[in-house]
Amino acid sequence: MALRSRGSAIRARLATAALTLALAGCTAGDGGSGDGPFARYPETLSSWDLFVGEPADHVPATGVEPYDLNTPLFSDYALKFRFIQFPTAPDGALQPATYRDPEPFEFPVGTVIAKTFAYPADFRSPDEDLRLLETRLLIHEQEGWVGLPYIWNEEQTEARLVIVGGPLEVSWIDGSGRTVEHTYRVPNTNQCKTCHRTDGERLLPIGPHARQLNRESVYADGGGGPGGAENQLARWQRLGLLEDAPAPAEAPRAPVWNDSSTGSLTERARTWLDINCAHCHNLSGSGRTSGLDLRAAHGDRTRLGIYKHPVAAGQGTGDRLYGVVPGRPDESILVYRLESVHPGVMMPELGRGLVDSEAVALIRQWIEEMELGTEA
Ligand code: HEC
Ligand code: HEC
């Protein structure tokens, strides 16, 4: 993680990474907030008062908490920085979230959740020369959650609301010294719905679950433990930001997908599928027609794709017969779609243009070691 000292600063010195803002100069009227349903939202990210000082440094304002997930969504290797702004009650106190499980926490109306996407110029020094791309907001209104994408300017002084999203040409150096160039896509506001309408109707947050938040983070303001480390759930309880929660030891805890000390191969693979796929692949999400249910918490082999015929034949199958064939990743449609970047084939269908090679290796190993069952 680049934000090693939580909330202290994102080093947004002018990056050497070449990044052209394809939408630079965009303002309201040409893809900005315009006159539509988003007209009432501020055009600039700084208007939300999430951060103090230079906006690009992401130093959280009072009432804004940084957080991390145990296993995050893959977004073309972009680093992500997440924050929650808790609303203030008339008496000046911050209004807490309510603990729930397995659903995401219940956040009060007025909550704003922010996620900033960035690339370092060189992943061998991920804390240096960060280039911020976009900051997505989920705003809890009386009627439900609203999603907004803000795109950072080249000077890194401000991000502007661009409801149509758009492509950004990016270039960075990976961990092995190779230069990677690709088109990073900021989603539009309709695409937010494809993923965040996890229950079919309302837009909902996806990450803030007990199992995902139950982890240690290092906080710039000292936190509770040595070096500023503190369990996120314990901290929120200590600060009065979380009600009705058990002690962290009693709460579920998701493994870290690429840390084998945190869970078995199956647990890590299922958790990776849960956060990367299950917002669409559940019983009511936008991928429900496929019959795949990739949530971590069920044991139905067919819903996982095991010996399940695809709903639609054609290019999305790679001529393979079943979603998952135990012991045979190369015969599994699921792997075929993870390894593709072809529109119409790749999964997830939105939110990436690169293959997550490390995760593909994990899913391959999970399928390889899966018991050869005969269940249909
Ligand atoms: C491809 C699916 C996908 C699309 C499209 C998408 N999101 Fe998300 N989003 C996720 C997932 C999965 C998470 C949780 C995992 C994480 O944060 O790494 C998430 C997390 C977030 C968060 C942090 C709070 C939370 O829900 O966990 C915000 C804020 C957010 N998204 C806003 C947006 C906005 C605004 C848009 C549209 C401009 C959008 N997202 C489009 C999948 C998506
Ligand atoms: C943005 C929503 C969305 C996300 C996220 C998503 N999918 Fe899908 N998926 C769909 C839709 C819609 C279909 C049905 C149309 C098709 O086959 O392309 C589908 C179909 C599939 C199929 C074919 C299923 C069948 O039996 O016909 C597989 C396999 C699959 N997805 C795997 C995944 C995996 C693995 C992930 C996560 C890495 C994922 N998907 C993430 C929407 C999504």
Side-chain angles (χ1 to χ4, degrees):
M1 278 305 300
L3 201 56
R4 195 153 290 145
S5 81
R6 302 304 309 264
S8 62
I10 285 182
R11 295 272 154 255
R13 278 173 270 138
L14 268 192
T16 48
L19 176 119
T20 325
L21 293 181
L23 287 167
C26 206
T27 54
D30 57 353
S33 50
D35 303 324
F38 300 104
R40 60 186 165 128
Y41 292 107
E43 242 187 84
T44 55
L45 183 65
S46 51
S47 310
W48 290 95
D49 295 331
L50 292 161
F51 309 117
V52 293
E54 281 297 313
D57 285 345
H58 281 41
V59 178
T62 307
V64 177
E65 276 290 308
Y67 73 97
D68 274 331
L69 305 179
N70 279 317
T71 291
L73 169 72
F74 172 78
S75 305
D76 285 348
Y77 294 103
L79 304 176
K80 303 187 194 179
F81 306 97
R82 303 175 186 78
F83 300 85
I84 299 181
Q85 183 180 50
F86 291 87
T88 311
D91 67 358
L94 293 173
Q95 289 181 265
T98 306
Y99 180 95
R100 292 190 307 175
D101 180 63
E103 302 83 16
F105 290 171
E106 182 80 54
F107 290 95
V109 168
T111 302
V112 178
I113 312 184
K115 178 156 80 153
T116 293
F117 295 68
Y119 285 115
D122 187 336
F123 272 85
R124 293 170 298 184
S125 336
D127 294 339
E128 289 168 25
D129 283 349
L130 267 200
R131 191 72 200 224
L132 310 185
L133 306 174
E134 55 157 332
T135 298
R136 299 183 192 169
L137 299 186
L138 280 177
I139 302 118
H140 199 185
E141 302 279 21
Q142 201 72 50
E143 320 80 63
W145 293 85
V146 176
L148 302 175
Y150 286 80
I151 299 183
W152 284 85
N153 61 12
E154 229 162 329
E155 301 76 37
Q156 304 272 281
T157 50
E158 182 64 275
R160 292 193 169 273
L161 178 58
V162 185
I163 58 171
V164 296
L168 304 176
E169 298 307 321
V170 296
S171 153
W172 38 272
I173 298 171
D174 74 9
S176 64
R178 196 173 57 106
T179 299
V180 181
E181 288 175 9
H182 65 108
T183 305
Y184 174 96
R185 293 188 189 279
V186 178
N188 63 42
T189 45
N190 281 327
Q191 291 171 326
C192 316
K193 293 175 190 158
T194 313
C195 291
H196 282 272
R197 260 191 195 155
T198 39
D199 69 349
E201 288 299 324
R202 297 170 303 145
L203 219 62
L204 283 178
I206 300 174
H209 283 92
R211 59 182 183 276
Q212 283 285 7
L213 293 169
N214 192 0
R215 57 173 285 141
E216 307 282 308
S217 264
V218 176
Y219 291 93
D221 64 7
E230 188 170 13
N231 179 286
Q232 295 182 147
L233 297 183
R235 175 179 167 96
W236 290 13
Q237 285 173 274
R238 178 171 67 77
L239 297 177
L241 299 174
L242 184 61
E243 280 181 345
D244 300 340
E250 311 299 324
R253 185 175 186 132
V256 177
W257 69 281
N258 57 357
D259 179 350
S260 58
S261 72
T262 62
S264 69
L265 174 62
T266 300
E267 287 164 345
R268 287 181 293 120
R270 290 292 300 270
T271 297
W272 187 87
L273 292 170
D274 185 278
I275 196 72
N276 279 275
C277 322
H279 40 281
C280 291
H281 288 290
N282 60 64
L283 301 179
S284 59
S286 61
R288 66 186 177 285
T289 49
S290 68
L292 275 191
D293 180 357
L294 296 175
R295 290 174 299 166
H298 73 82
D300 182 322
R301 289 168 66 92
T302 308
R303 266 158 54 200
L304 267 182
I306 298 175
Y307 292 124
K308 182 183 113 36
H309 284 297
V311 166
Q315 60 166 3
T317 67
D319 291 330
R320 300 176 187 190
L321 293 179
Y322 301 110
V324 172
V325 182
R328 303 192 185 280
D330 287 317
E331 293 175 17
S332 302
I333 296 170
L334 192 144
V335 172
Y336 176 72
R337 300 190 71 155
L338 281 182
E339 290 180 337
S340 175
V341 290
H342 193 282
V345 177
M346 72 169 179
M347 282 289 149
E349 55 179 9
L350 289 174
R352 75 167 176 93
L354 301 177
V355 175
D356 184 352
S357 312
E358 296 77 13
V360 168
L362 174 78
I363 300 301
R364 280 182 158 277
Q365 198 193 348
W366 171 60
I367 294 178
E368 246 155 43
E369 295 184 15
M370 200 179 271
E371 277 170 48
L372 282 160
T374 49
E375 295 101 307

mmCIF file of all heavy atoms in Angstrom, residues 194-195 272-273 276-277 279-281 286-287 289-290 292 294 308-312 333-334 337-338 344 347-350, ligand 2:
data_model
loop_
_atom_site.group_PDB
_atom_site.id
_atom_site.type_symbol
_atom_site.label_atom_id
_atom_site.label_comp_id
_atom_site.label_asym_id
_atom_site.label_seq_id
_atom_site.Cartn_x
_atom_site.Cartn_y
_atom_site.Cartn_z
ATOM 1 N N THR A 194 -24.545 -0.847 -12.593
ATOM 2 C CA THR A 194 -24.369 -2.247 -12.976
ATOM 3 C C THR A 194 -23.725 -3.041 -11.840
ATOM 4 O O THR A 194 -24.102 -4.178 -11.574
ATOM 5 C CB THR A 194 -23.492 -2.343 -14.237
ATOM 6 O OG1 THR A 194 -23.977 -1.410 -15.187
ATOM 7 C CG2 THR A 194 -23.513 -3.727 -14.824
ATOM 8 N N CYS A 195 -22.757 -2.447 -11.186
ATOM 9 C CA CYS A 195 -22.070 -3.163 -10.108
ATOM 10 C C CYS A 195 -22.664 -2.881 -8.728
ATOM 11 O O CYS A 195 -22.733 -3.768 -7.887
ATOM 12 C CB CYS A 195 -20.596 -2.786 -10.085
ATOM 13 S SG CYS A 195 -19.682 -3.412 -11.498
ATOM 14 N N TRP A 272 -11.699 -13.860 -3.135
ATOM 15 C CA TRP A 272 -11.343 -13.055 -4.311
ATOM 16 C C TRP A 272 -12.535 -12.990 -5.274
ATOM 17 O O TRP A 272 -12.877 -11.934 -5.797
ATOM 18 C CB TRP A 272 -10.094 -13.621 -5.013
ATOM 19 C CG TRP A 272 -9.634 -12.706 -6.096
ATOM 20 C CD1 TRP A 272 -8.778 -11.648 -5.968
ATOM 21 C CD2 TRP A 272 -10.059 -12.720 -7.475
ATOM 22 N NE1 TRP A 272 -8.640 -11.012 -7.175
ATOM 23 C CE2 TRP A 272 -9.411 -11.642 -8.124
ATOM 24 C CE3 TRP A 272 -10.912 -13.537 -8.217
ATOM 25 C CZ2 TRP A 272 -9.589 -11.360 -9.477
ATOM 26 C CZ3 TRP A 272 -11.096 -13.256 -9.561
ATOM 27 C CH2 TRP A 272 -10.437 -12.177 -10.176
ATOM 28 N N LEU A 273 -13.185 -14.141 -5.500
ATOM 29 C CA LEU A 273 -14.360 -14.157 -6.393
ATOM 30 C C LEU A 273 -15.492 -13.325 -5.790
ATOM 31 O O LEU A 273 -16.221 -12.625 -6.501
ATOM 32 C CB LEU A 273 -14.831 -15.596 -6.630
ATOM 33 C CG LEU A 273 -13.889 -16.492 -7.452
ATOM 34 C CD1 LEU A 273 -14.352 -17.947 -7.402
ATOM 35 C CD2 LEU A 273 -13.790 -16.021 -8.904
ATOM 36 N N ASN A 276 -14.634 -9.574 -6.327
ATOM 37 C CA ASN A 276 -14.451 -9.198 -7.733
ATOM 38 C C ASN A 276 -15.650 -9.514 -8.617
ATOM 39 O O ASN A 276 -15.776 -8.954 -9.709
ATOM 40 C CB ASN A 276 -13.212 -9.882 -8.308
ATOM 41 C CG ASN A 276 -11.944 -9.148 -7.931
ATOM 42 O OD1 ASN A 276 -11.553 -8.195 -8.595
ATOM 43 N ND2 ASN A 276 -11.331 -9.560 -6.830
ATOM 44 N N CYS A 277 -16.498 -10.418 -8.197
ATOM 45 C CA CYS A 277 -17.549 -10.909 -9.094
ATOM 46 C C CYS A 277 -18.943 -10.916 -8.470
ATOM 47 O O CYS A 277 -19.934 -10.791 -9.190
ATOM 48 C CB CYS A 277 -17.248 -12.342 -9.540
ATOM 49 S SG CYS A 277 -15.511 -12.707 -9.844
ATOM 50 N N HIS A 279 -20.819 -9.020 -6.732
ATOM 51 C CA HIS A 279 -21.778 -7.897 -6.788
ATOM 52 C C HIS A 279 -22.675 -8.047 -8.010
ATOM 53 O O HIS A 279 -23.793 -7.559 -8.008
ATOM 54 C CB HIS A 279 -21.064 -6.547 -6.751
ATOM 55 C CG HIS A 279 -19.812 -6.491 -7.564
ATOM 56 N ND1 HIS A 279 -18.630 -7.018 -7.114
ATOM 57 C CD2 HIS A 279 -19.571 -6.002 -8.790
ATOM 58 C CE1 HIS A 279 -17.701 -6.845 -8.045
ATOM 59 N NE2 HIS A 279 -18.254 -6.237 -9.081
ATOM 60 N N CYS A 280 -22.216 -8.703 -9.076
ATOM 61 C CA CYS A 280 -23.095 -9.016 -10.219
ATOM 62 C C CYS A 280 -23.601 -10.457 -10.123
ATOM 63 O O CYS A 280 -24.763 -10.730 -10.438
ATOM 64 C CB CYS A 280 -22.351 -8.851 -11.534
ATOM 65 S SG CYS A 280 -21.950 -7.140 -11.937
ATOM 66 N N HIS A 281 -22.715 -11.373 -9.715
ATOM 67 C CA HIS A 281 -23.082 -12.796 -9.679
ATOM 68 C C HIS A 281 -23.614 -13.205 -8.310
ATOM 69 O O HIS A 281 -22.927 -13.825 -7.512
ATOM 70 C CB HIS A 281 -21.885 -13.658 -10.077
ATOM 71 C CG HIS A 281 -21.570 -13.558 -11.532
ATOM 72 N ND1 HIS A 281 -22.389 -14.097 -12.497
ATOM 73 C CD2 HIS A 281 -20.543 -12.962 -12.199
ATOM 74 C CE1 HIS A 281 -21.870 -13.853 -13.696
ATOM 75 N NE2 HIS A 281 -20.759 -13.156 -13.545
ATOM 76 N N SER A 286 -26.711 -8.017 -11.534
ATOM 77 C CA SER A 286 -26.864 -7.894 -12.984
ATOM 78 C C SER A 286 -26.320 -9.112 -13.740
ATOM 79 O O SER A 286 -26.565 -9.255 -14.930
ATOM 80 C CB SER A 286 -26.200 -6.609 -13.472
ATOM 81 O OG SER A 286 -24.823 -6.630 -13.169
ATOM 82 N N GLY A 287 -25.613 -10.033 -13.068
ATOM 83 C CA GLY A 287 -25.145 -11.252 -13.727
ATOM 84 C C GLY A 287 -25.971 -12.474 -13.359
ATOM 85 O O GLY A 287 -25.579 -13.608 -13.638
ATOM 86 N N THR A 289 -28.674 -13.779 -14.537
ATOM 87 C CA THR A 289 -29.205 -14.638 -15.603
ATOM 88 C C THR A 289 -28.222 -15.756 -15.959
ATOM 89 O O THR A 289 -28.616 -16.763 -16.533
ATOM 90 C CB THR A 289 -29.466 -13.825 -16.890
ATOM 91 O OG1 THR A 289 -28.288 -13.043 -17.148
ATOM 92 C CG2 THR A 289 -30.659 -12.904 -16.732
ATOM 93 N N SER A 290 -26.947 -15.580 -15.607
ATOM 94 C CA SER A 290 -25.954 -16.615 -15.904
ATOM 95 C C SER A 290 -26.117 -17.818 -14.977
ATOM 96 O O SER A 290 -25.561 -18.880 -15.229
ATOM 97 C CB SER A 290 -24.542 -16.046 -15.743
ATOM 98 O OG SER A 290 -24.287 -15.771 -14.379
ATOM 99 N N LEU A 292 -24.761 -18.094 -12.213
ATOM 100 C CA LEU A 292 -23.572 -18.184 -11.358
ATOM 101 C C LEU A 292 -23.793 -17.338 -10.109
ATOM 102 O O LEU A 292 -24.241 -16.201 -10.198
ATOM 103 C CB LEU A 292 -22.351 -17.598 -12.066
ATOM 104 C CG LEU A 292 -21.511 -18.428 -13.013
ATOM 105 C CD1 LEU A 292 -20.232 -17.653 -13.316
ATOM 106 C CD2 LEU A 292 -21.203 -19.783 -12.434
ATOM 107 N N LEU A 294 -21.339 -16.209 -7.171
ATOM 108 C CA LEU A 294 -19.935 -16.287 -6.758
ATOM 109 C C LEU A 294 -19.697 -15.686 -5.375
ATOM 110 O O LEU A 294 -18.560 -15.379 -5.005
ATOM 111 C CB LEU A 294 -19.038 -15.636 -7.819
ATOM 112 C CG LEU A 294 -19.087 -16.371 -9.172
ATOM 113 C CD1 LEU A 294 -18.272 -15.632 -10.237
ATOM 114 C CD2 LEU A 294 -18.586 -17.820 -9.047
ATOM 115 N N LYS A 308 -21.359 -26.876 -14.615
ATOM 116 C CA LYS A 308 -22.550 -26.153 -15.069
ATOM 117 C C LYS A 308 -22.348 -25.712 -16.516
ATOM 118 O O LYS A 308 -21.353 -25.057 -16.832
ATOM 119 C CB LYS A 308 -22.796 -24.921 -14.183
ATOM 120 C CG LYS A 308 -24.044 -24.144 -14.548
ATOM 121 C CD LYS A 308 -24.203 -22.897 -13.709
ATOM 122 C CE LYS A 308 -24.059 -21.596 -14.446
ATOM 123 N NZ LYS A 308 -24.553 -21.499 -15.797
ATOM 124 N N HIS A 309 -23.287 -26.067 -17.380
ATOM 125 C CA HIS A 309 -23.238 -25.594 -18.763
ATOM 126 C C HIS A 309 -23.493 -24.099 -18.791
ATOM 127 O O HIS A 309 -24.299 -23.594 -18.014
ATOM 128 C CB HIS A 309 -24.325 -26.290 -19.603
ATOM 129 C CG HIS A 309 -23.983 -27.698 -19.960
ATOM 130 N ND1 HIS A 309 -22.893 -28.021 -20.746
ATOM 131 C CD2 HIS A 309 -24.580 -28.866 -19.637
ATOM 132 C CE1 HIS A 309 -22.841 -29.334 -20.887
ATOM 133 N NE2 HIS A 309 -23.846 -29.879 -20.220
ATOM 134 N N PRO A 310 -22.824 -23.379 -19.712
ATOM 135 C CA PRO A 310 -23.084 -21.936 -19.797
ATOM 136 C C PRO A 310 -24.490 -21.661 -20.301
ATOM 137 O O PRO A 310 -25.072 -22.475 -21.018
ATOM 138 C CB PRO A 310 -22.039 -21.450 -20.797
ATOM 139 C CG PRO A 310 -21.692 -22.647 -21.613
ATOM 140 C CD PRO A 310 -21.842 -23.823 -20.709
ATOM 141 N N VAL A 311 -25.015 -20.511 -19.912
ATOM 142 C CA VAL A 311 -26.362 -20.141 -20.346
ATOM 143 C C VAL A 311 -26.355 -19.840 -21.840
ATOM 144 O O VAL A 311 -27.213 -20.288 -22.581
ATOM 145 C CB VAL A 311 -26.843 -18.928 -19.525
ATOM 146 C CG1 VAL A 311 -28.060 -18.288 -20.146
ATOM 147 C CG2 VAL A 311 -27.120 -19.372 -18.102
ATOM 148 N N ALA A 312 -25.357 -19.083 -22.280
ATOM 149 C CA ALA A 312 -25.269 -18.774 -23.709
ATOM 150 C C ALA A 312 -23.991 -19.389 -24.267
ATOM 151 O O ALA A 312 -22.933 -19.284 -23.664
ATOM 152 C CB ALA A 312 -25.247 -17.260 -23.905
ATOM 153 N N ILE A 333 -14.583 -22.527 -18.210
ATOM 154 C CA ILE A 333 -14.958 -21.247 -18.833
ATOM 155 C C ILE A 333 -14.576 -20.069 -17.930
ATOM 156 O O ILE A 333 -14.139 -19.026 -18.395
ATOM 157 C CB ILE A 333 -16.482 -21.226 -19.127
ATOM 158 C CG1 ILE A 333 -16.832 -22.297 -20.151
ATOM 159 C CG2 ILE A 333 -16.926 -19.854 -19.605
ATOM 160 C CD1 ILE A 333 -18.337 -22.519 -20.330
ATOM 161 N N LEU A 334 -14.717 -20.279 -16.629
ATOM 162 C CA LEU A 334 -14.422 -19.193 -15.689
ATOM 163 C C LEU A 334 -12.986 -18.687 -15.880
ATOM 164 O O LEU A 334 -12.741 -17.475 -15.924
ATOM 165 C CB LEU A 334 -14.666 -19.691 -14.260
ATOM 166 C CG LEU A 334 -14.691 -18.639 -13.156
ATOM 167 C CD1 LEU A 334 -15.726 -19.015 -12.096
ATOM 168 C CD2 LEU A 334 -13.335 -18.496 -12.513
ATOM 169 N N ARG A 337 -12.517 -16.721 -19.155
ATOM 170 C CA ARG A 337 -13.021 -15.350 -19.131
ATOM 171 C C ARG A 337 -12.167 -14.438 -18.259
ATOM 172 O O ARG A 337 -12.094 -13.238 -18.511
ATOM 173 C CB ARG A 337 -14.499 -15.354 -18.730
ATOM 174 C CG ARG A 337 -15.300 -16.180 -19.765
ATOM 175 C CD ARG A 337 -16.782 -16.067 -19.608
ATOM 176 N NE ARG A 337 -17.256 -14.759 -20.007
ATOM 177 C CZ ARG A 337 -18.494 -14.526 -20.434
ATOM 178 N NH1 ARG A 337 -19.382 -15.512 -20.533
ATOM 179 N NH2 ARG A 337 -18.870 -13.314 -20.759
ATOM 180 N N LEU A 338 -11.510 -15.015 -17.257
ATOM 181 C CA LEU A 338 -10.576 -14.222 -16.435
ATOM 182 C C LEU A 338 -9.326 -13.854 -17.225
ATOM 183 O O LEU A 338 -8.712 -12.818 -16.986
ATOM 184 C CB LEU A 338 -10.111 -15.040 -15.220
ATOM 185 C CG LEU A 338 -11.019 -15.172 -14.023
ATOM 186 C CD1 LEU A 338 -10.307 -15.972 -12.944
ATOM 187 C CD2 LEU A 338 -11.400 -13.806 -13.499
ATOM 188 N N GLY A 344 -16.956 -8.636 -24.339
ATOM 189 C CA GLY A 344 -17.869 -9.724 -24.675
ATOM 190 C C GLY A 344 -17.392 -11.057 -24.123
ATOM 191 O O GLY A 344 -18.167 -11.996 -24.014
ATOM 192 N N MET A 347 -14.253 -11.157 -17.956
ATOM 193 C CA MET A 347 -14.978 -10.980 -16.715
ATOM 194 C C MET A 347 -14.000 -10.459 -15.679
ATOM 195 O O MET A 347 -12.891 -10.988 -15.581
ATOM 196 C CB MET A 347 -15.590 -12.308 -16.247
ATOM 197 C CG MET A 347 -16.844 -12.692 -16.992
ATOM 198 S SD MET A 347 -18.219 -11.609 -16.548
ATOM 199 C CE MET A 347 -19.157 -11.612 -18.078
ATOM 200 N N PRO A 348 -14.401 -9.475 -14.848
ATOM 201 C CA PRO A 348 -15.657 -8.754 -14.982
ATOM 202 C C PRO A 348 -15.737 -8.022 -16.323
ATOM 203 O O PRO A 348 -14.730 -7.671 -16.897
ATOM 204 C CB PRO A 348 -15.661 -7.769 -13.820
ATOM 205 C CG PRO A 348 -14.287 -7.759 -13.290
ATOM 206 C CD PRO A 348 -13.587 -8.966 -13.751
ATOM 207 N N GLU A 349 -16.948 -7.802 -16.782
ATOM 208 C CA GLU A 349 -17.161 -7.170 -18.086
ATOM 209 C C GLU A 349 -16.858 -5.674 -18.048
ATOM 210 O O GLU A 349 -16.714 -5.057 -19.088
ATOM 211 C CB GLU A 349 -18.588 -7.428 -18.552
ATOM 212 C CG GLU A 349 -19.624 -6.985 -17.529
ATOM 213 C CD GLU A 349 -21.047 -7.216 -17.968
ATOM 214 O OE1 GLU A 349 -21.260 -7.869 -19.000
ATOM 215 O OE2 GLU A 349 -21.956 -6.740 -17.272
ATOM 216 N N LEU A 350 -16.787 -5.100 -16.848
ATOM 217 C CA LEU A 350 -16.499 -3.675 -16.665
ATOM 218 C C LEU A 350 -15.361 -3.535 -15.667
ATOM 219 O O LEU A 350 -15.165 -4.403 -14.838
ATOM 220 C CB LEU A 350 -17.699 -2.977 -16.014
ATOM 221 C CG LEU A 350 -18.958 -2.766 -16.806
ATOM 222 C CD1 LEU A 350 -20.018 -2.200 -15.868
ATOM 223 C CD2 LEU A 350 -18.693 -1.807 -17.939
HETATM 224 C C1 HEC B 2 -20.618 -6.010 -14.056
HETATM 225 C C2 HEC B 2 -21.285 -7.270 -13.758
HETATM 226 C C3 HEC B 2 -20.413 -8.505 -13.794
HETATM 227 C C4 HEC B 2 -19.269 -8.735 -13.079
HETATM 228 C C5 HEC B 2 -18.559 -7.826 -12.096
HETATM 229 C C6 HEC B 2 -18.863 -10.079 -13.396
HETATM 230 N N1 HEC B 2 -19.726 -10.626 -14.277
HETATM 231 FE FE1 HEC B 2 -19.599 -12.523 -15.073
HETATM 232 N N2 HEC B 2 -21.297 -12.184 -16.125
HETATM 233 C C7 HEC B 2 -22.045 -11.026 -16.133
HETATM 234 C C8 HEC B 2 -23.165 -11.171 -17.042
HETATM 235 C C9 HEC B 2 -24.211 -10.107 -17.323
HETATM 236 C C10 HEC B 2 -23.077 -12.478 -17.610
HETATM 237 C C11 HEC B 2 -24.003 -13.129 -18.646
HETATM 238 C C12 HEC B 2 -23.624 -12.720 -20.060
HETATM 239 C C13 HEC B 2 -22.330 -13.326 -20.516
HETATM 240 O O1 HEC B 2 -22.149 -14.555 -20.451
HETATM 241 O O2 HEC B 2 -21.439 -12.551 -20.953
HETATM 242 C C14 HEC B 2 -21.885 -13.082 -17.017
HETATM 243 C C15 HEC B 2 -21.437 -14.359 -17.300
HETATM 244 C C16 HEC B 2 -20.330 -14.980 -16.729
HETATM 245 C C17 HEC B 2 -19.906 -16.333 -17.008
HETATM 246 C C18 HEC B 2 -20.610 -17.313 -17.928
HETATM 247 C C19 HEC B 2 -21.642 -17.980 -17.029
HETATM 248 C C20 HEC B 2 -22.539 -19.008 -17.653
HETATM 249 O O3 HEC B 2 -22.618 -20.083 -17.057
HETATM 250 O O4 HEC B 2 -23.168 -18.716 -18.684
HETATM 251 C C21 HEC B 2 -18.798 -16.568 -16.253
HETATM 252 C C22 HEC B 2 -17.982 -17.865 -16.157
HETATM 253 C C23 HEC B 2 -18.534 -15.366 -15.504
HETATM 254 N N3 HEC B 2 -19.484 -14.413 -15.827
HETATM 255 C C24 HEC B 2 -17.508 -15.216 -14.596
HETATM 256 C C25 HEC B 2 -17.256 -14.062 -13.882
HETATM 257 C C26 HEC B 2 -16.169 -13.922 -12.966
HETATM 258 C C27 HEC B 2 -15.187 -15.027 -12.600
HETATM 259 C C28 HEC B 2 -16.225 -12.658 -12.485
HETATM 260 C C29 HEC B 2 -15.292 -11.989 -11.546
HETATM 261 C C30 HEC B 2 -13.888 -12.065 -11.863
HETATM 262 C C31 HEC B 2 -17.357 -11.998 -13.108
HETATM 263 N N4 HEC B 2 -17.957 -12.883 -13.952
HETATM 264 C C32 HEC B 2 -17.734 -10.685 -12.857
HETATM 265 C C33 HEC B 2 -21.787 -9.884 -15.376
HETATM 266 C C34 HEC B 2 -20.704 -9.704 -14.544
#
